[in-house]
Amino acid sequence: MMTKPKRALTIAGSASGGSAGIQADIKTFQEFDVYGMSVVTAIVGRHPITGKNVHPMTIEAIEAQFYTAKEQIGFDAIKTGMLFSKEVIETVAKLLADADTEHIVVDPVMVGKLKSKLLKDDAIEALKEKLLPRAAVITPNMYEASILLDDRPLDTLDDLKRAAIDLHALGPSCVLVKGGRLDGPAVDVLYDGETLTTLTAPRIDTKNTSGAGCSYSAAIAANLAKGKTIQEAVQIAKSFITTAISHSFTYTGIAGPTYHAAERKYGEAHAIKVEAEKI
Ligand code: PXL
């Protein structure tokens, strides 16, 4: 009998360059043999004359996409990415309550690599109050973690650990703070309310990391869909994204995409060093 793949939904923006947003998410789901679906919240692409770069979808269109995917396929995991406005965040919080899965990854996307503003300032409170408490895991980078903690400066690994503990108090089951912007190896910190786990991978020296955060959180969602624990899913996802970054490329000189197929194509997984401490 044919085995049916597990199912994952991304609720995020469309990044027409294909490196980030829903395009990155669906490519990532596919790499894990997870059936990918999308709810597009906005279309990102800068018009050469008007300069307009965010083209939001209506609330009705967002709800329509969600319920179509739910009725047609159903969900084993969901990730959220670019949500842009307070109204969309409030809508998505309601939809998640109606999703029949607890495997929810919230990537609190705020700005893109090319400095596009992907979340309005007045949406931060709604994100904190309505969305973060629904998450199995949230995946802020250092910049996003700092904003969620009222602009707290985050400069060291100890600052990241403290941030993960304090963000946990906002309600998600787990917090993954990504320390990619620290000097030295690529260190992320995972906190589940009891144990602080530090995950370390080698730093890959490249500017071509467009969509790395999107792809990382999508890989976590794909592995939650497949029944992995959060700790296992994060470890698998970090290896996946490290390999994808180590084979990233650029066609134009502009910060290019990570290579989603790299781990499969080259059979090259990165060993992640994992250290745990009870808090
Ligand atoms: O990488 C962050 C990101 C997320 N989502 C969308 C984007 C970007 C970056 O450009 O366009 C839709």
Side-chain angles (χ1 to χ4, degrees):
M1 202 188 76
M2 214 190 89
T3 53
K4 287 184 265 186
K6 296 294 185 185
R7 308 154 292 180
L9 173 74
T10 172
I11 305 178
S14 161
S16 62
S19 61
I22 55 164
Q23 287 81 357
D25 294 342
I26 290 188
K27 291 174 192 182
T28 302
F29 294 157
Q30 186 71 22
E31 288 301 326
F32 287 100
D33 188 25
V34 166
Y35 182 93
M37 294 160 279
S38 60
V39 169
V40 182
T41 56
I43 294 178
V44 177
R46 191 179 301 277
H47 190 277
I49 295 167
T50 65
K52 182 172 164 174
N53 68 338
V54 174
H55 311 268
M57 304 296 287
T58 61
I59 298 296
E60 187 187 8
I62 290 169
E63 290 171 342
Q65 294 172 83
F66 177 87
Y67 284 109
T68 300
K70 184 180 171 191
E71 277 157 32
Q72 198 183 348
I73 307 290
F75 314 126
D76 297 303
I78 298 181
K79 77 151 266 190
T80 69
M82 172 192 181
L83 300 176
F84 193 53
S85 69
K86 184 168 173 284
E87 293 71 27
V88 173
I89 289 170
E90 285 167 355
T91 301
V92 168
K94 272 193 300 187
L95 297 177
L96 291 176
D98 207 11
D100 300 334
T101 177
E102 313 244 291
H103 295 145
I104 294 171
V105 182
V106 172
D107 188 15
V109 169
M110 294 184 189
V111 289
K113 279 266 160 359
L114 304 174
K115 303 283 177 277
S116 308
K117 200 169 176 66
L118 304 178
L119 184 71
K120 294 181 178 172
D121 294 336
D122 69 358
I124 306 275
E125 278 316 304
L127 181 65
K128 281 161 80 164
E129 279 169 30
K130 306 261 166 62
L131 210 57
L132 301 194
R134 295 207 172 274
V137 58
I138 64 170
T139 61
N141 59 30
M142 289 168 68
Y143 170 80
E144 292 153 353
S146 163
I147 296 203
L148 292 171
L149 293 167
D150 304 318
D151 297 321
R152 179 193 299 181
L154 299 177
D155 300 312
T156 66
L157 182 57
D158 279 343
D159 292 347
L160 289 201
K161 291 181 178 178
R162 189 74 252 158
I165 293 167
D166 292 345
L167 287 170
H168 187 262
L170 295 177
S173 304
C174 287
V175 177
L176 178 70
V177 183
K178 298 172 292 182
R181 294 165 198 215
L182 290 174
D183 290 336
V187 182
D188 304 334
V189 173
L190 179 67
Y191 184 61
D192 64 2
E194 280 179 9
T195 305
L196 246 177
T197 307
T198 307
L199 300 107
T200 308
R203 168 164 306 275
I204 314 291
D205 184 22
T206 176
K207 286 207 307 267
N208 302 321
T209 57
S210 177
C214 304
S215 308
Y216 190 179
S217 61
I220 297 170
N223 282 284
L224 292 181
K226 291 168 92 167
K228 306 287 184 196
T229 65
I230 290 177
Q231 162 101 28
E232 289 165 343
V234 169
Q235 212 173 311
I236 294 167
K238 188 165 172 69
S239 171
F240 169 81
I241 196 61
T242 305
T243 307
I245 292 172
S246 71
H247 293 277
S248 63
F249 45 83
T250 174
Y251 292 107
T252 60
I254 296 173
T258 69
Y259 191 27
H260 296 98
E263 210 166 70
R264 168 168 54 86
K265 187 162 171 182
Y266 302 113
E268 181 190 307
H270 273 81
I272 306 300
K273 189 166 141 212
V274 180
E275 291 156 295
E277 52 186 300
K278 290 264 181 235
I279 296 297

